[in-house]
Every structure is written in structure tokens, then in C-alpha cells.
Amino acid sequence: MVITLSRHATKSRRGVRPTTLVVWCYVALITAGTVLLMLPISAANSHPTGQCAPSPGDMCLRTALSDALFTATSATSLTGLITVDTATHWSTFGKVVIMLLIQLGGLGFMTLASLFGLFVAGRLGLNRRAGARVEGRGMDMGEISWVVRAAVSFTLLVEFVVAVALTLRFHFGYEYSWGRAVWEGLFHAISGFNNAGFALYTDNVMGFFSDTWVLLPLAFALIVGGLGFPVLLEAWRHLKTWLSVRTRGQLPKRWSLTTRFTIKGTILLIALGTLMVAFGEWSNAMSGFTTGEKILNSFFAGVSPRTAGFNALDYADFHPSTLLGTDFLMFIGGGTGGTAGGVKITTSAVILAAVLAEIRGDTSVSVARRRLNPKVLRQALVVLAFGIGQVFLAVIAVSFLAPQFSTDQILFEVVSAFATVGLSTGITADLPVAAQAIFIVLMFAGRVGPIALATALAARPRQRIYEYPEERPFIG
């Protein structure tokens, strides 16, 4: 047995772990949202649900606990799956509560993810932190407050721009009153940037399938929110360096692997999703559309599965092969530290790089003249394995509880819940309460699970001080 000493081996850590703190923060937010949504003022007077009043003629105004909890979890986790119709079930107060849950959930996740990045960087040691700063990846711990302010400011800026574009379109294009246009523009801008997918229409945004001036602003919000704040921050720093008079003409800093993976992966997945929908639904779900409308909806349907949840097409009409391809896009998700869900592009890219390195017979995994730490590969494998395991077990459980639905439908809903996407074939509201409870767990785990797991793995305080003899089992 080989002994290897580590200076971290016996160093103890005390206090609340950040991963535990973020879980309880989200639990508290979901609990508060559930209570507010169960109030009589949150339900629309014209839509009786929940517990009925003793008198037969009285209106039922209280939302059932299961529906309120599901909606609060879906909004906070930025998913978008629903058990009651957002447009008709909730009052204006209830819709404002949902919008605030989306906003707080998105801001909280972006800032916490960025702060967790600082936390992990602070545990890597001075040498590695210095190397990270050279590549533009690291930030001093003193920049925490600046990171939070920057994340909040950028979020509000993008939401404002998209809200203005939608407001103008709703007012001048559909003759909404200014009050209604501002309200719907703001709601959908917040829902879009935070990749929540909640809409104020029963058919989501299917009524705007031919409107470029509605779908493209929403697509812009979805893409920017899904890139992740760390990537956006690095892009901003590069832009400032390029525009600065004092640094003009100098070679730009090297882009980090996180940014390279995220930007290239986003472009590739959007392109693949667009082609997949165009090929599979050109004469199916989009039959009767003009060529321009088919191209527009193929693009929007290629963007939305990356944890956005808006649908301008009816996914219940999709071909099974298109649904399966959408499952793949949803499971991967978007960028780390953003409002997107899934196992993240960086995780998938690291796994792919390891596979290609093994096929080539390389002794180490290298990308863009940078060698990946073996610990990163193991962490990516753990995140991927946990994601596959959750989806697999959930599909089995929901299939047992709701055998009337096909496996294609159940798999689609399960992946949508885990990846916090919100796209649906329309069966979520018809599932039994037990199956909906599984979705609640999936949505919560899909939002806080990957970053909490990755952070916990990267920041483990203790390491084993010995190694066992090596042995190679047969593979394949």
C-alpha cells in the first residue's frame, strides 16, 4: 500500500456548508411561495378549485396544497411545468407571486453559483488561483460583493430590454392597453431570461407562432440567460480589454475552457435542435405553416429545450424521434452559473473530451492546449451518473403510477422536470398526485443538485492519505 501525504488530510472544517445553506434557502423560498399561492387572493374568482366551501353555492377559492407546492417549486426552480392553467387559475396577485418566485429563484441561483465558484477557487491554493487569474477564470474573494451587484444589474438590464421590446409589440401589434402590454412584457421577459417558461396564455406562446417580434426577443432572453453569468462576465472583461485605449493592440487574454465549452456548445446544440425540429416536424407539427414560419419555429424549438420551456408548437403532436432528440437537448441543458438546468454543457464537454482522448490513446485529456485535471473528469462523471440515475428511477416510478401514458411521454416529462425545462406533452396535470410529487423532487434536485454536488466534490476538506495497489478489471 502506497502512502501519500496531504496537507489537507487532517485539517478540519467547521460551520454550515454552503451546499447545505443553498438547499435551505430554496426550501424557504418554495415554502413561502406555497403559502402565498394557497391564499384565496391568489386564485381567480372565476376558476373554483381546491377545498370547497360548506355552502353549495359558494365559490371555492383556495388552491389545493399539491397544486400550490408544485407551482411554487416549478417557479422557484425555473422549470415551467404546471398542474393548473397559469392563465385562468391564478389571479393577478397569484401571477405576481409566480413572477417574483421566478425572479428570486433566478437571481439566487446565478449569484450563488458565482459565489460557489469563488468558494471553490479559494480552496484550490494560491498557485492554482494565480493560474486561474492569468487565464481570466479566477476572481479575488474581495470581489464577492461586486459579483453579486454585477449579476443583479446584468439580469435587470437584459430583462428591461426584452420587456420593452415585448411591450411595444403587444401594444402596437396587438392593440393591448399600455397597462396590459407592460405587465405581459415584464412577466414574459422575466420568465424568458430566467429560463422559466411560464406564460400568461393557456397555450403558452403558441398563439405567437408566426410573430417574429415576439419569438425572437424571447429566444434572445433564453440564450443569454442560459449562457451563465461567469461566461458573460468573462466576455465583458475581454470586451473592455479590447476597447481600452491603453491595452489596444495587445494580445487578448486567453479564453477559459468554461467559456469555450459553453459558447461553442450553445451554438452547436441550437443548430442541431433547429435542424432536428425542421427535419422531423416540417410536414408534421408544422404542416400548414409558410416556409418562413417553419424556419422561425424550428429555430425557437431548437432554443427552447435548453431549459427554457416556452413552446410555440404543440409537443403532443411531435414525432417520437423528435421527442427523443429533445430529451437529449434538455438533459444537457445550458451553461454553468446561469438560469439553465440540465447536467450543463461543460459537464458534457468534459465527458466527450475524455472519450475522444481514450479513443486516441492519449495518456491525459487535453483541450485547447490545456490539460484537464483528473478530478474534474471524475466530478463530471459523478454529475452525469447522478442525472441519469434520477431520470431512470423516476421514469420507472411514474410508469408504475401512471401506466396509461406511453414511455415516450413519461420520459419527456421526467427529463423536462429534472432539467428544469418545463416543456410538456400535456400529461403533467393528469398525473396522479404521487407522480407529481416525484416531479417536485426532480425539479428541486435538478435546480440545486448539480451545483451543490459539484461544489461539494470540489471542496472536500479531507483526502485519503494512502493508495491501494492497482488492478485493472476487464472493460467491455
Side-chain angles (χ1 to χ4, degrees), residues 11 28 34 46 61 97 102 150 162 205 208 211 250 272 404 435 442:
K11 189 175 182 179
T34 301
S46 61
L61 298 178
V97 170
I102 294 171
V162 176
V205 293
F208 303 103
D211 195 332
Q250 297 180 8
L272 290 177
Q404 68 271 28
L442 279 175

Side-chain angles (χ1 to χ4, degrees), residues 99-184:
M99 183 179 69
L100 291 178
L101 290 175
I102 294 171
Q103 184 71 90
L104 293 175
L107 281 175
F109 185 78
M110 286 186 69
T111 54
L112 286 172
S114 300
L115 295 182
F116 274 178
L118 291 175
F119 170 76
V120 173
R123 298 287 292 275
L124 293 179
L126 294 177
N127 291 335
R128 293 185 183 180
R129 288 180 61 191
R133 287 188 59 81
V134 169
E135 296 182 0
R137 294 182 290 108
M139 292 174 283
D140 291 329
M141 299 303 290
E143 294 182 349
I144 288 179
S145 61
W146 182 87
V147 169
V148 174
R149 291 196 304 269
V152 173
S153 300
F154 183 81
T155 297
L156 297 179
L157 175 62
V158 175
E159 290 175 349
F160 174 77
V161 171
V162 176
V164 169
L166 293 177
T167 297
L168 295 176
R169 182 56 179 168
F170 288 146
H171 177 71
F172 293 107
Y174 295 91
E175 299 182 350
Y176 291 0
S177 66
W178 276 112
R180 180 185 177 186
V182 170
W183 159 242
E184 295 203 4

Side-chain angles (χ1 to χ4, degrees), residues 276-277 279-281 284 318-327 412:
M276 175 191 69
V277 175
F279 179 79
E281 307 303 325
N284 186 31
F318 273 31
H319 191 275
S321 61
T322 312
L323 289 179
L324 186 59
T326 305
D327 292 338
F412 190 90

